[in-house]
Amino acid sequence: MDKRLLVLACGMFAIGTDSFVVSGVLRQVSVSLGVSIVLAGQMVTLFALSYALLSPIIAAVAAHWPRKRLLLAGLAVLVLGDIITAVAPSIELVLASRLLSGLAAAMFSPTATATGASLVEPEQRGQALSIVVAGLSSGTAFGAPLGVFIGGLLDWRATMWFVAALGTLAWMGVALFLSDIPTPPVVNFSRRLAPLRDSRVMLTLSTIGVVFTGLFIVNTYIDPSLDRVTRGEPGILAGLLLLRGVAATAGSLTAGRLADRFGNRRLINMAIVVLVLDFALLPWTSASLVTTVLALVIWGLFGWGFLVPQQLRLIGITPSAAPLLLGLNSTAIYLAVSVSGLLGGAAITYFDRHALGLVGAVFIVAGLVFAEWAQHRIARPHHQTANATTVYSGVS
């Protein structure tokens, strides 16, 4: 396997850490800047919104850029955004810097996945993508807890300097070890959005969107949600996030094999049902360390395990448009993260912070409705053939 994939994975590790580490230091940001934790939570919202909205735009606008230049530019913007966050004296500048970091993720992440696929032979592309994407999940599983731990030893600004250092190391790796890569064929903006005209795609993306909205309503405000067991200690929270990250990695690695054996539908529905129960019980399970650990392990296993069969279902609709579909999948996830920051903030304002799991469970239940609706449409291939031919004409 091409070693350059590891360089791309390191960049994705920095992006993944930057995406998810903020949730673990919101309390510190709130106290340091003298703002509510709900306002501090918009750091997550603005990063995710910037990524979701700008990814397809950057892909179209920078289509003619050499891939290495775009990757380096994305990491440079990431480092700049994190440095601004680390030194910002006000919440307004902090929030603006998170928009900048979201732009960086929009520049780097889709480019890295496409580049990884282009570095290997067609029969190795699946493995190449899994290596690159593993960098992102590793950032979530290990980078974010480490950043939270650093924040506990020092402060939240040290956490942002840590993320900036990761981005700098990744920039150096790309600059030194990643050779120039041919620019791919240009796909304009309208063609990138063409798959959305297929109801099967929209319903599958909607499933992903509402389930991840439910998950991140809790995740964005996980620090106050688990305060009964963490007692405000960042080290305990970091340990819990690390444990969930290990479970998430295990869920991701095993979900593909299980989907091959049992089928996407069965695995998707089972994961959603388990997540609904897990989140509905969080107001009670999060009061004890033992039951919190169990709840987070289930969350990691089934939350990330749910994503793999969903992606397989999405690709299976039209395999020739897989890169575009996976790009839309990422957009749906980050739109969900941005919406969850707003919804979670509203829920904390009007309800008890320990009741966020119940709010999240409502959205996850809606995911089951969309999943079955999508399955119903996918099971009617003759009805979809004509539309699909029109939608994807010229896309791939």
Side-chain angles (χ1 to χ4, degrees):
M1 185 58 62
D2 197 312
K3 293 181 180 179
R4 291 174 293 179
L5 295 172
L6 296 178
V7 174
L8 295 172
C10 288
M12 294 292 274
F13 181 85
I15 295 290
T17 302
D18 201 354
S19 299
F20 299 106
V21 74
V22 172
S23 297
V25 295
L26 286 185
R27 186 193 303 274
Q28 294 183 46
V29 174
S30 171
V31 173
S32 172
L33 298 180
V35 298
S36 70
I37 199 167
V38 173
L39 181 56
Q42 302 320 300
M43 294 170 66
V44 177
T45 298
L46 292 177
F47 178 99
L49 188 63
S50 177
Y51 178 99
L53 296 182
L54 294 178
S55 287
I57 296 174
I58 294 296
V61 171
H64 298 283
W65 284 30
R67 298 299 90 182
K68 182 175 181 178
R69 182 190 303 173
L70 186 55
L71 291 168
L72 288 173
L75 290 171
V77 173
L78 182 76
V79 172
L80 176 62
D82 290 333
I83 290 175
I84 293 174
T85 305
V87 301
S90 66
I91 188 62
E92 291 81 9
L93 189 54
V94 166
L95 295 177
S97 69
R98 295 308 290 167
L99 284 170
L100 192 62
S101 295
L103 166 63
M107 296 170 70
F108 186 87
S109 295
T111 308
T113 53
T115 298
S118 72
L119 293 176
V120 298
E121 298 299 323
E123 61 272 15
Q124 293 181 307
R125 285 177 182 168
Q127 185 179 356
L129 283 173
S130 68
I131 291 173
V132 175
V133 174
L136 183 66
S137 59
S138 296
T140 306
F142 306 109
L146 180 56
V148 173
F149 181 73
I150 290 172
L153 289 178
L154 302 171
D155 62 11
W156 68 272
R157 297 184 187 276
T159 297
M160 301 315 301
W161 282 111
F162 164 68
V163 181
L166 291 180
T168 301
L169 291 174
W171 188 95
M172 293 171 62
V174 171
L176 292 174
F177 301 112
L178 198 65
S179 59
D180 289 328
I181 302 159
T183 304
V186 176
V187 179
N188 63 33
F189 186 69
S190 61
R191 286 186 175 180
R192 290 183 182 276
L193 298 182
L196 296 179
R197 291 159 49 196
D198 188 330
S199 62
R200 299 169 300 172
V201 172
M202 279 299 297
L203 289 169
T204 303
L205 291 176
S206 296
T207 305
I208 295 169
V210 294
V211 169
F212 269 75
T213 296
L215 296 179
F216 276 88
I217 280 175
V218 179
N219 191 80
T220 300
Y221 299 99
I222 195 166
D223 187 2
S225 295
L226 301 183
D227 62 357
R228 288 177 292 181
V229 294
T230 65
R231 299 184 301 278
E233 293 290 335
I236 298 176
L237 179 61
L240 291 173
L241 293 178
L242 177 62
L243 185 64
R244 188 189 61 179
V246 172
T249 303
S252 298
L253 292 174
T254 58
R257 295 179 182 179
L258 292 174
D260 289 338
R261 181 174 180 181
F262 298 107
N264 294 332
R265 182 183 188 183
R266 186 178 299 179
L267 200 59
I268 289 168
N269 291 351
M270 180 184 69
I272 291 176
V273 170
V274 172
L275 287 170
V276 168
L277 295 174
D278 191 36
F279 272 57
L281 292 173
L282 266 180
W284 298 275
T285 56
S286 61
S288 161
L289 182 60
V290 173
T291 51
T292 297
V293 166
L294 179 61
L296 291 180
V297 168
I298 293 172
W299 180 351
L301 284 172
F302 289 91
W304 288 95
F306 155 82
L307 185 58
V308 174
Q310 275 293 120
Q311 290 175 324
L312 291 173
R313 171 179 280 184
L314 195 60
I315 294 172
I317 293 172
T318 305
S320 61
L324 300 186
L325 293 171
L326 290 177
L328 291 171
N329 178 76
S330 295
T331 297
I333 290 173
Y334 277 91
L335 276 176
V337 174
S338 65
V339 170
S340 68
L342 296 172
L343 294 174
I348 283 182
T349 302
Y350 293 104
F351 305 105
D352 187 271
R353 61 188 179 278
H354 303 127
L356 288 179
L358 287 171
V359 180
V362 173
F363 285 89
I364 300 171
V365 167
L368 185 60
V369 176
F370 280 112
E372 281 300 285
W373 193 358
Q375 176 63 32
H376 177 68
R377 289 299 181 92
I378 292 169
R380 299 167 60 191
H382 297 296
H383 176 74
Q384 297 287 348
T385 301
N387 289 336
T389 302
T390 301
V391 168
Y392 297 107
S393 178
V395 170
S396 59

